[in-house]
Amino acid sequence: MADIVPHLKVTLEGAQKMLAAAVAKAQAMGVPQCIAIVDDGGHMLAFARMDGAKVLSFDSSFRKAMTAASSRAPTGGMPEGLDIRLGIATQGKLLNVKGGLPIVVDGKTIGAVGVGSGTGDQDFEVAKAALAVLPGAKTDF
């Protein structure tokens, strides 16, 4: 087994491109959003709170992104009950609400996008728009 492996990562430029696409999608939908882009460790790379977005959606968008990066899966799909236990165990860092998607390139999770302030379906659509502009990113969630 190797001692080190190559590592893909989302750059600031990539995160900003994704953020711009998500904002454009939210504007086209007429739904102001909070949008968070994180790296694979759940650290914030880019964020926007659009005019009119719910103030507390900062927290939910960031937590959705952290959850999607950590679980390497879209948010909103955890079994009922497990989501509450994991939320408590992580002091609220993991959130099982629709709107978080992992950024997967070449089969590796390299970050995530989390969106909050609309309905779960609206948040999900805005997150998908962010992924669509990143070359090689999985978009079939």
Side-chain angles (χ1 to χ4, degrees), residues 40-111:
D40 61 335
H43 302 99
M44 186 79 74
L45 292 172
F47 177 80
R49 183 173 63 86
M50 297 171 64
D51 295 337
K54 298 170 188 164
V55 175
L56 290 180
S57 291
F58 164 81
D59 292 323
S60 65
S61 65
F62 183 46
R63 299 290 184 234
K64 289 177 189 183
M66 288 177 65
T67 301
S70 175
S71 66
R72 295 171 171 75
T75 59
M78 282 184 218
E80 191 173 320
L82 176 61
D83 58 347
I84 294 170
R85 291 192 304 272
L86 286 173
I88 292 168
T90 62
Q91 298 177 338
K93 291 181 182 169
L94 294 183
L95 185 63
N96 188 36
V97 178
K98 199 171 185 178
L101 292 175
I103 303 167
V104 180
V105 176
D106 293 337
K108 306 282 189 230
T109 300
I110 62 170

Side-chain angles (χ1 to χ4, degrees), residues 25-49:
K25 177 67 172 180
Q27 287 172 330
M29 293 169 62
V31 180
Q33 296 277 23
C34 288
I35 303 155
I37 312 288
V38 300
D39 66 14
D40 61 335
H43 302 99
M44 186 79 74
L45 292 172
F47 177 80
R49 183 173 63 86

